[in-house]
Amino acid sequence: MNKTSRSSKVLFFGMDGATWRILKPMMAQGRLPHLQRLCDSGASGILQSIEPMVSPAIWTSIASGKTPDKHGVWDFVVSSKSVRCKRVWDMASQSGWRVGLCGYMVTWPPPELNGFVIPGSFSRGPETHPASLQAIRELDMTQRSDNRRSLFTAMQRAWQCHRLGVRPSSFADAALTLVRTRAQRDYLEKFYHMRRIGFEAYADVFVRQVQHFQTQLSMYVFTLVDSTSHNYWKFMEPEASASSVEPREIQKHRSKIYQAYEAVDRMIGRTLRRLEVSLPARHEEGNTNVIIVSDHGFQSVPEAQGRPPDRTVRILPEALVELLHWEAAAVRTFNIRGATFFRHRQEDSFQIEKMRSDLSAIRVVNPSAPFFDVSLDPYGNIEIALNAALGELKGLQVKLPEGQIIAAEKIVAGDIGAISGDHHPEGVFIAAGPDIRRGYALQNASVLDVTPTLLALMDLPIGQDMDGRVLTEIFKPDFLSASPIRHIDTWEEPNWSYEEDNASADEALKENLRSLGYL
């Protein structure tokens, strides 16, 4: 299963949280010329996500073609050693492809692939492969966890990243931004700019390492759009906000999400130029297929909850765990798309049923009614949402399973905090290159289809045990003639080992999750 001379290179961008809802109007206005050109030159359409819409789980499904019950990734506190199956880079590296990964979730600790690995969001350590790339991770982790560090230390580490590939213009921009935001007390003003300069630095290092290692499968995943959409949606759509927004704040922050998309478009155009990737016009040219996907789309929090803006709430999962006397170390919890999910770490069916029963037993005192709608998905996740029939929460009292009566505000906040954007199930798929049909409108595609399609583009076989399909409709007929789709039973091996990750989120990771509304 070695790489054939017929196979083109693959350049993959993971645009976490991107939505056509913003892309299409911006393209129509001419504000995203590079993304527009990719759409015109190739195939594009909606990429359907999977539930629960937890980014590490979805990105692992994207990279494996398998559902979470097979790959074992459910939430944010997870390591690469706990993934229960091979991912596309394992398959490619095993087949002789040189692989480069930057920013991909659940790649820490980094696997020793034939190429380089710079782990992505929610990693718990700075390690990279090779270790010589570690400075970029150290700078990122220091920036997020220690706001009191000296400016000199930050600049010193930034200079180390310059040696890894950060362009002089990016270095100067970062230095100026650090100086300007040093004394900035406006969290929202600082948040976007710090995320943007990190995104630019990672992109620069990614390009330099692709050039250095001459990788054939090169993947860069970034969260700039996702994190910006979580925090600034209410300024873009103040009429859909769950809380009043000051006109002065709207004026200051309304364009932040659009700026994030424009920054991504510039980065993609710059990367294509620096890697000398040419897109087909009327004739075939170049040897690189470009793939862009998002794990989910975006919407306002009231839309996600299906409640009017003035009735939007925020469930407090950590308070529920404490009040229900659950063992905190045994329970994973996260907020996604207007609901809260609980998962028992050991997947103990008895404990899962007890947790479901406890949550179902929480009732409004007067008039008596269930406080939560509680359901169990096929994977053992307990999902709760506020009973849709309930109105005003102020003054409402609820009874816990053991009879204790508390104010509803102890477990459900009557506001959504700083987060105003949430996940939507319709993501983005764009593909262009010598093997991709021009101007094709893709339909009925899923995040599970990405790895089978990547394997086909690399002329590698697709595992019969994968849950996705090859998007053959986007391929040119001559590509399918020269590289017929092949299958094998599985890419897995009997001796493939994984370790259950029983670690808990540290305070730095918890703060990162809170900043995105997941806790």
Side-chain angles (χ1 to χ4, degrees), residues 47-48 50 61-62 64-67 70 444-455 462-472 485 487:
L47 192 67
Q48 195 69 29
I50 55 175
S61 287
I62 287 173
S64 64
K66 296 183 177 182
T67 50
K70 292 182 180 178
N444 303 318
S446 161
V447 293
L448 297 169
D449 303 332
V450 175
T451 277
T453 303
L454 291 176
L455 289 172
I462 291 81
Q464 296 278 18
D465 57 345
M466 293 180 179
D467 298 300
R469 68 180 181 91
V470 179
L471 299 174
T472 53
I485 306 301
H487 290 85

Side-chain angles (χ1 to χ4, degrees), residues 186-190 192 228 231-236 245 247-259:
D186 185 340
Y187 168 80
L188 286 172
E189 188 62 32
K190 187 173 184 176
Y192 170 74
T228 307
N231 282 273
Y232 298 92
W233 200 275
K234 64 183 176 184
F235 304 110
M236 184 183 70
V245 187
R248 181 173 60 86
E249 295 297 302
I250 295 173
Q251 182 68 24
K252 186 189 298 184
H253 300 304
R254 186 165 210 159
S255 65
K256 289 291 194 304
I257 293 176
Y258 301 122
Q259 290 174 22

Side-chain angles (χ1 to χ4, degrees), residues 19-29 32 36 46:
T19 174
W20 288 113
R21 180 173 179 172
I22 293 177
L23 279 169
K24 286 185 176 180
M26 291 188 71
M27 286 180 180
Q29 296 165 8
L32 304 175
Q36 179 69 70
I46 292 171

Side-chain angles (χ1 to χ4, degrees), residues 102-311:
C102 181
Y104 212 106
M105 294 183 191
V106 201
T107 55
W108 177 89
E112 295 185 1
L113 300 176
N114 179 19
F116 71 91
V117 182
I118 303 172
S121 298
F122 314 119
S123 299
R124 301 199 298 273
E127 292 80 9
T128 60
H129 171 71
S132 57
L133 304 178
Q134 193 163 307
I136 185 70
R137 289 287 306 138
E138 290 174 342
L139 177 65
D140 188 25
M141 294 186 73
T142 301
Q143 178 61 43
R144 292 173 189 248
S145 64
D146 183 10
N147 292 323
R148 296 167 298 180
R149 75 203 182 292
S150 71
L151 183 61
F152 173 77
T153 300
M155 296 305 296
Q156 188 178 43
R157 287 188 169 167
W159 178 251
Q160 292 174 330
C161 294
H162 170 63
R163 294 191 298 173
L164 296 179
V166 175
R167 295 170 300 132
S169 58
S170 296
F171 181 78
D173 179 32
L176 185 60
T177 300
L178 285 170
V179 171
R180 284 178 173 174
T181 60
R182 185 70 183 165
Q184 178 62 255
R185 294 186 177 182
D186 185 340
Y187 168 80
L188 286 172
E189 188 62 32
K190 187 173 184 176
F191 181 90
Y192 170 74
H193 291 295
M194 298 310 295
R195 295 280 175 148
R196 181 186 59 78
I197 62 173
F199 157 77
E200 300 281 6
Y202 269 80
D204 288 349
V205 173
F206 169 69
V207 171
R208 173 70 65 83
Q209 302 314 312
V210 168
Q211 293 170 329
H212 175 72
F213 286 93
Q214 290 294 293
T215 53
Q216 297 150 308
L217 171 62
S218 310
M219 309 179 78
Y220 176 34
V221 176
F222 43 89
T223 60
L224 178 66
V225 165
D226 178 88
S227 58
T228 307
S229 298
H230 275 301
N231 282 273
Y232 298 92
W233 200 275
K234 64 183 176 184
F235 304 110
M236 184 183 70
E237 292 184 352
E239 67 281 358
S241 174
S243 58
S244 60
V245 187
E246 294 291 331
R248 181 173 60 86
E249 295 297 302
I250 295 173
Q251 182 68 24
K252 186 189 298 184
H253 300 304
R254 186 165 210 159
S255 65
K256 289 291 194 304
I257 293 176
Y258 301 122
Q259 290 174 22
Y261 277 81
E262 289 171 333
V264 168
D265 186 76
R266 289 192 300 271
M267 180 277 294
I268 289 175
R270 183 171 63 247
T271 300
L272 296 182
R273 287 194 303 273
R274 293 181 66 192
L275 296 180
E276 299 180 346
V277 175
S278 57
L279 298 177
R282 296 293 178 185
H283 58 282
E284 184 172 318
E285 57 182 85
N287 71 336
T288 301
N289 290 303
V290 180
I291 308 293
I292 301 175
V293 306
S294 68
D295 54 336
H296 54 75
F298 249 90
Q299 60 188 329
S300 71
V301 168
E303 285 180 281
Q305 293 192 9
R307 298 172 67 86
D310 61 346
R311 295 291 175 86

Side-chain angles (χ1 to χ4, degrees), residues 396-447:
L396 203 65
Q397 291 188 314
V398 297
K399 180 184 288 188
L400 300 180
E402 295 180 354
Q404 180 185 2
I405 295 177
I406 63 170
E409 286 90 342
K410 285 194 173 183
I411 54 176
V412 175
D415 66 84
I416 60 169
I419 302 305
S420 57
D422 208 342
H423 299 180
H424 186 280
E426 294 183 352
V428 169
F429 181 91
I430 302 171
D435 302 319
I436 307 297
R437 293 174 61 182
R438 181 182 176 85
Y440 184 79
L442 178 65
Q443 297 180 342
N444 303 318
S446 161
V447 293

Side-chain angles (χ1 to χ4, degrees), residues 322-372:
E322 181 179 352
L323 287 166
L324 294 173
H325 308 297
W326 293 347
E327 183 184 353
V331 179
R332 292 273 173 84
T333 179
F334 45 88
N335 293 328
I336 294 289
R337 205 160 70 91
T340 295
F341 291 83
F342 297 91
R343 182 172 183 81
H344 193 268
R345 284 188 172 185
Q346 281 72 48
E347 302 179 16
D348 184 310
S349 58
F350 175 81
Q351 292 298 329
I352 292 171
E353 177 55 30
K354 181 182 183 303
M355 290 163 60
R356 188 199 64 77
S357 177
D358 285 349
L359 291 165
S360 299
I362 300 175
R363 298 185 66 84
V364 177
V365 173
N366 186 24
S368 180
F371 190 60
F372 293 121

